[in-house]
Amino acid sequence: DGFDVYLDGQHCCRLEHRTPLPPKNGPLILQFPSTDDYGSPESWSVYKVWWGHKNSMAGDLSDVKGVNAFSGIHPKKLFISGLPRISTQAEVDLRRAELERAFRKYGGDQGVIATVPTNTTFAFVEVETERSADAALTEMQDLYRMNRARRSRYEALQEERAAKEAAANKGDEGGKKDNSEWD
């Protein structure tokens, strides 16, 4: 589910929902960036918007850049938004330490992993378990604006590869591997 964006009748990208759509009719807010990546002003014209589930006008989008064919919610990673913009490495380190301290109790023995990109107003925090993520969403909502992070296609492929390797290694546990050709 998401919004397909067309320019001059040509499909250029799909924007995915950050939060689930409400089950009943309600307002729809589309927020477009006011500047490009270099700070130059942009103006947008919206010609047609539809609400609800409708098949894409473009048909198959699997080979179109920007279309995320894998749309899963990350079970343990939180997306924190609405933070003040930071630009220096010292500010990044301070924000990382602040988030790791604030979410420490949700990280278990290993602690949490905070990812803080430079020159942004958001961050990611990965906690120990899905249950910890649920607790953090409930208990920390007064301090931070946050949602579950989406799993990227790259993360999904990494997890799939790790599962295959684990299954292959589990099958090899019964006997010792012959590595004599490497000796």
Side-chain angles (χ1 to χ4, degrees), residues 82-182:
L83 300 169
R85 184 172 298 278
I86 58 173
S87 56
T88 67
Q89 187 59 41
E91 291 173 324
V92 168
D93 293 340
L94 283 171
R95 168 131 340 129
R96 184 178 299 115
E98 171 198 341
L99 292 171
E100 287 174 352
R101 191 171 33 256
F103 287 87
R104 180 181 328 163
K105 77 176 194 176
Y106 307 105
D109 295 337
Q110 304 297 321
V112 299
I113 299 169
T115 305
V116 182
T118 307
N119 202 22
T120 61
T121 61
F122 63 87
F124 296 96
V125 174
E126 189 166 352
V127 297
E128 182 182 31
T129 63
E130 190 171 353
R131 178 178 255 168
S132 298
D134 290 336
L137 281 169
T138 304
E139 295 170 10
M140 302 293 282
Q141 66 184 353
D142 293 338
L143 299 174
Y144 296 100
R145 188 168 66 191
M146 62 184 155
N147 286 317
R148 295 256 183 178
R150 287 201 173 273
R151 254 184 357 182
S152 68
R153 181 70 180 151
Y154 177 73
E155 288 174 317
L157 289 172
Q158 279 185 318
E159 290 171 10
E160 188 178 306
R161 185 178 302 137
K164 285 181 183 178
E165 288 176 2
N169 289 340
K170 190 174 185 178
D172 290 338
E173 286 177 2
K176 187 177 178 184
K177 283 187 174 181
D178 181 20
N179 291 331
S180 58
E181 63 187 71
W182 294 101

Side-chain angles (χ1 to χ4, degrees), residues 10-86:
Q10 182 73 26
H11 186 272
C12 65
C13 69
R14 172 173 282 174
L15 306 174
E16 293 184 344
H17 303 289
R18 281 272 180 221
T19 58
L21 293 174
K24 298 180 180 179
N25 290 343
L28 172 65
I29 299 171
L30 295 176
Q31 183 177 358
F32 295 96
S34 58
T35 62
D36 64 11
D37 292 340
Y38 304 103
S40 303
E42 289 186 330
S43 62
W44 295 81
S45 297
V46 178
Y47 294 101
K48 187 188 293 184
V49 175
W50 67 88
W51 175 258
H53 300 282
K54 180 178 177 181
N55 292 333
S56 171
M57 296 186 305
D60 181 28
L61 301 174
S62 60
D63 62 341
V64 177
K65 291 182 182 177
V67 174
N68 186 357
F70 184 84
S71 61
I73 300 296
H74 198 291
K76 301 185 299 182
K77 192 179 285 187
L78 304 173
F79 173 76
I80 317 260
S81 62
L83 300 169
R85 184 172 298 278
I86 58 173

